[in-house]
């Protein structure tokens, strides 16, 4: 039996602000930290990262997991749900939202003013890169990204 709390949220119009960030620290024992919109460290993620480091996971794993957790926390902040109040319902809705959300456009770190050269990056009519022939990624999250986020959230919340 389900109650009204189990009903999926309407997510098509949900705006998830780009609050917080994942910061590289340069510290061997804490290579990354997740901070909220005010610049405060997100404590549950710091504890999770400490466990990853203790298990010998490389900094690249923390960065990968950190990007997923940043998406998760931004989603929770947009809903107004605290991390310690999130349930399987929010996790389900997060995965549903990832499937319909448009990825945020970010400037390339080499071209912060947006003046990146346009050679080779243009799409052809088939949706592939004109130079390499590789498929151009779309504006939605890939299925692999959604699956990775789900795995990281599950692992972090059990820690």
């Amino acid at each position: 039996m389900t109650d009204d709390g189990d009903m999926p949220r309407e997510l098509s119009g949900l705006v998830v602000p780009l609050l917080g960030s994942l910061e590289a620290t340069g510290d061997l024992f804490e290579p990354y930290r997740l901070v909220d919109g005010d610049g405060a460290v997100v404590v549950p993620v710091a504890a999770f990262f400490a466990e990853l480091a203790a298990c010998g996971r490389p900094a690249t794993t923390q960065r990968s997991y950190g990007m997923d957790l940043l998406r998760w926390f931004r989603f929770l902040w947009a809903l107004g749900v605290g991390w310690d109040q999130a349930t399987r319902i929010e996790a389900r809705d997060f995965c549903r939202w990832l499937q319909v959300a448009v990825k945020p456009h970010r400037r390339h770190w080499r071209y912060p003013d947006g003046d990146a050269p346009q050679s080779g990056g243009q799409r052809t009519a088939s949706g592939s890169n004109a130079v390499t022939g590789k498929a151009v990624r779309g504006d939605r999250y890939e299925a692999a990204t959604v699956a990775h986020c789900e795995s990281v959230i599950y692992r972090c919340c059990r820690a």
Side-chain angles (χ1 to χ4, degrees):
M1 178 172 241
T2 63
D3 61 30
D4 289 344
D6 288 345
M7 294 302 297
R9 289 179 173 88
E10 173 54 47
L11 300 171
S12 62
L14 180 65
V15 176
V16 177
L18 298 178
L19 299 174
S21 63
L22 183 67
E23 298 177 343
T25 65
D27 182 342
L28 177 64
F29 299 104
E30 182 193 15
Y32 290 93
R33 71 174 151 244
L34 187 70
V35 296
D36 64 17
D38 295 325
V41 172
V42 178
V43 176
V45 175
F48 180 61
F49 282 175
E51 289 184 21
L52 289 175
C55 293
R57 300 298 186 270
T60 52
T61 297
Q62 285 193 25
R63 183 185 184 286
S64 174
Y65 286 16
M67 295 305 294
D68 291 340
L69 291 168
L70 179 59
R71 287 184 199 99
W72 168 241
F73 273 87
R74 284 176 173 168
F75 178 79
L76 291 177
W77 294 330
L79 294 179
V81 174
W83 178 84
D84 56 343
Q85 300 299 312
T87 68
R88 66 176 181 80
I89 304 301
E90 283 75 30
R92 176 202 63 201
D93 289 346
F94 174 65
C95 292
R96 290 178 57 242
W97 173 77
L98 281 173
Q99 294 172 30
V100 299
V102 175
K103 292 186 290 189
H105 176 72
R106 293 180 183 86
R107 296 192 190 281
H108 193 283
W109 62 272
R110 287 188 185 151
Y111 308 101
D113 297 327
D115 56 349
Q118 296 300 314
S119 62
Q122 294 132 353
R123 285 187 190 192
T124 62
S126 67
S128 61
N129 182 293
V131 173
T132 66
K134 292 181 180 178
V136 176
R137 304 225 178 204
D139 64 346
R140 309 290 173 155
Y141 290 104
E142 300 287 330
T145 301
V146 175
H148 192 263
C149 284
E150 182 179 352
S151 297
V152 170
I153 301 308
Y154 178 77
R155 184 170 182 186
C156 179
C157 292
R158 291 190 56 188

